[in-house]
């Protein structure tokens, strides 16, 4: 098969999970660091993110753009803090169910709300 042949892509039916590798690392701290380095106002960002209800189009675009930029910053400046994994929908659902059982329940909720899906 040709390298340009999309059917030869082993990740064709998968999506990317990006997670913080260490449970002691906070995605919020990493994003705040990015905002500070880029000259953006972390307080404004977090206040806006906390009250955003989907009707504020201008703020939503700025938040999404900043989050995307923060992801690039973190992967460049802190690659050791991230874990990348291509998963199928089935693997994703199994992981989600396993994480939500027992002791991992709170960590799973926090992880999902902390930029765990990018694609």
């Amino acid at each position: 098969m040709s390298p340009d042949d999309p059917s030869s892509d082993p990740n064709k039916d998968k999506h990317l999970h990006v997670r913080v590798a260490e449970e002691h690392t906070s995605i919020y701290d990493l994003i705040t660091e990015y905002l500070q380095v880029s000259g953006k106002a972390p307080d404004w960002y977090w206040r806006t993110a906390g009250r955003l209800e989907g009707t504020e189009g201008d703020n939503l675009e700025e938040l999404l753009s900043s989050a995307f930029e923060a992801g690039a910053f973190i992967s460049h400046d802190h690659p050791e803090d991230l874990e990348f994994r291509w998963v199928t929908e089935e693997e994703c659902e199994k992981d989600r169910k396993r994480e939500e059982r027992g002791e991992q329940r709170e960590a799973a909720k926090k992880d999902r709300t902390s930029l765990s899906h990018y694609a």
Side-chain angles (χ1 to χ4, degrees):
M1 282 191 203
S2 158
D4 297 330
D5 180 4
S7 65
S8 67
D9 182 5
N11 295 324
K12 182 179 125 191
D13 294 325
K14 296 183 176 186
H15 63 272
L16 182 62
H17 278 198
V18 180
R19 301 184 187 270
V20 175
E22 295 287 325
E23 69 179 59
H24 302 295
T25 302
S26 167
I27 191 72
Y28 300 105
D29 291 342
L30 293 171
I31 291 172
T32 298
E33 179 184 337
Y34 156 74
L35 292 166
Q36 291 168 334
V37 167
S38 68
K40 297 184 180 190
D43 291 344
W44 173 86
Y45 183 89
W46 293 120
R47 277 195 313 272
T48 303
R51 69 173 182 262
L52 190 65
E53 296 193 18
T55 59
E56 303 175 41
D58 293 338
N59 287 338
L60 178 60
E61 185 174 336
E62 176 63 26
L63 288 172
L64 291 173
S65 176
S66 291
F68 186 79
E69 292 168 356
F73 168 82
I74 293 165
S75 67
H76 181 268
D77 284 15
H78 299 280
E80 71 283 356
D81 290 330
L82 298 178
E83 176 183 290
F84 299 90
R85 195 168 141 237
W86 287 96
V87 297
T88 63
E89 284 298 322
E90 184 178 301
E91 292 168 326
C92 180
E93 191 59 31
K94 284 180 184 176
D95 286 350
R96 185 173 292 136
K97 286 178 181 176
R98 185 174 46 249
E99 289 173 351
E100 289 178 346
R101 278 183 290 203
E103 300 171 6
Q104 297 177 354
R105 187 168 183 215
E106 286 304 312
K109 280 191 216 174
K110 179 183 174 192
D111 192 33
R112 252 197 323 283
T113 61
S114 303
L115 308 175
S116 65
H117 282 83
Y118 274 97

